[in-house]
Amino acid sequence: MPEEKIDKNVFLQTLDWICQKLEEADIPYMITGGSAVGFWGHIRTTMDIDILIQIQPQQIHRFLKSIEKEAYVDVEEARRAILSKEMFNAILHKTGFKIDIIPLNEKNAYEVEKFKNRIKIKFQNKEIFVIRPEDLVISKLIWSKSAGGSERQLKDCESIIRLNREEINLKYILKWVKSLKLDSEFKKL
């Protein structure tokens, strides 16, 4: 079987693919995690694409059917994960790159707020939805706390704040830092 020529890097090709699949299925999404740091902070290597989706039960079957031939995905596990609001992953065959797909937990006030705040940006001649820099900082503080402290998460936060200091809404960040009890993590920045 001849190898298909990959004309973009694997990250960009995988990002294009998953965004297109979600848009075709009419599933709202936003890029988050390490993949989103490059939009707001320093560019760094990441081994996957983190994407938060707002999927309804009636969309699950069609979405999973649309990706299962082009990506490795355990359809039954993915269905269970979506219904349980847990992360699952898919690996695009063409690139071997992993996508962590995170269903929005609509019972979590902060998760709903950050999803509502997502913004559309132009990237590589396409419009995609990404997490706002303030919410990326807050999310990384949450991840750092849950990991028992993470130097990488904190460095990402510092980079995002430093590179966006003119526009970033610190009052918004501080409101959620207090509400989510992230004070000790925030003080490390």
Side-chain angles (χ1 to χ4, degrees):
M1 183 166 138
E3 270 188 47
E4 184 178 330
K5 183 176 182 273
I6 297 176
D7 58 358
K8 299 179 188 177
N9 78 40
V10 294
F11 172 82
L12 294 176
Q13 193 170 18
T14 307
L15 182 65
D16 285 350
W17 178 81
I18 191 61
C19 291
Q20 180 181 350
K21 290 295 182 182
L22 290 165
E23 288 165 8
E24 287 171 358
D26 204 23
I27 297 171
Y29 71 89
M30 79 175 179
I31 308 304
T32 188
S35 326
V37 172
F39 297 113
W40 304 117
H42 61 279
I43 305 294
R44 72 166 175 86
T45 305
T46 183
M47 302 311 293
D48 59 21
I49 294 171
D50 299 311
I51 192 159
L52 185 64
I53 64 171
Q54 186 177 34
I55 189 168
Q56 302 306 314
Q58 66 273 18
Q59 295 173 302
I60 297 170
H61 178 75
R62 184 169 155 234
F63 171 64
L64 293 175
K65 279 303 243 188
S66 78
I67 68 171
E68 73 177 342
K69 287 189 174 115
E70 296 174 73
Y72 169 77
V73 60
D74 181 328
V75 173
E76 287 309 311
E77 175 57 23
R79 182 176 286 109
R80 185 206 60 75
I82 292 168
L83 293 171
S84 302
K85 305 298 183 190
E86 297 172 5
M87 182 181 78
F88 68 98
N89 54 52
I91 300 171
L92 183 58
H93 295 309
K94 191 178 348 183
T95 63
F97 207 76
K98 183 172 74 120
I99 307 156
D100 289 335
I101 303 170
I102 309 147
L104 176 65
N105 179 354
E106 294 170 336
K107 293 179 181 173
N108 181 310
Y110 174 66
E111 292 294 309
V112 170
E113 176 82 13
K114 82 175 176 184
F115 194 79
K116 187 178 79 175
N117 290 338
R118 70 195 172 114
I119 59 172
K120 188 186 287 189
I121 65 166
K122 192 156 186 107
F123 179 69
Q124 299 286 314
N125 297 317
K126 293 185 180 181
E127 291 184 332
I128 62 171
F129 289 93
V130 298
I131 190 170
R132 292 185 61 84
E134 294 88 351
D135 288 311
L136 187 53
V137 168
I138 296 162
S139 295
K140 289 197 154 284
L141 292 173
I142 292 168
W143 296 326
S144 178
K145 183 177 181 177
S146 71
S150 166
E151 193 66 30
R152 172 174 263 183
Q153 304 296 344
L154 297 176
K155 284 191 181 304
D156 287 347
C157 291
E158 290 168 351
S159 169
I160 295 162
I161 292 169
R162 185 179 67 254
L163 294 172
N164 298 280
R165 71 176 148 257
E166 300 296 320
E167 301 89 22
I168 207 154
N169 184 342
L170 280 175
K171 285 174 79 173
Y172 175 83
I173 293 173
L174 292 171
K175 172 188 120 178
W176 283 106
V177 161
K178 183 177 180 179
S179 175
L180 298 170
K181 298 178 176 48
L182 300 168
D183 305 59
S184 63
E185 297 301 315
F186 187 73
K187 287 177 185 170
K188 295 175 187 173
L189 301 179

